[in-house]
Amino acid sequence: MESRERGFNLLPYLAGRALLNADFRERLLENPGQAARELGFCLSENQIEQIKAIDPAQVDEWVNNFEGYVGQPVMAMVTW
């Protein structure tokens, strides 16, 4: 399914899901196309390259900073 068919920008959705789910985050950074397909989406080559360009260490830092800001582990906030 193309992201435009869903009426929203797919990359922020995937980024949010990756922030909240460490297993998905790892899969997304390792193989963006496959991780998106798991959710029923199809990424363009440009979107795949954008995700591949992300430094996993930087993502870990963002997650740690976010958890410090909200005062609890991200997974404690997940209800889905």
Side-chain angles (χ1 to χ4, degrees), residues 5-62:
E5 293 175 9
R6 291 284 234 161
F8 67 94
N9 189 335
L10 182 57
L11 292 182
Y13 172 79
L14 293 175
R17 181 143 184 149
L19 174 68
L20 297 174
N21 184 315
D23 292 332
F24 179 75
R25 178 171 55 248
E26 184 178 328
R27 291 192 310 275
L28 181 66
L29 294 173
E30 286 179 10
N31 189 335
Q34 178 61 37
R37 282 191 295 279
E38 290 174 12
L39 301 177
F41 299 108
C42 181
L43 294 175
S44 70
E45 288 300 318
N46 184 47
Q47 290 170 319
I48 289 171
E49 291 306 315
Q50 288 176 349
I51 295 170
K52 284 182 175 180
I54 296 171
D55 177 7
Q58 182 67 51
V59 175
D60 289 341
E61 184 178 328
W62 294 333

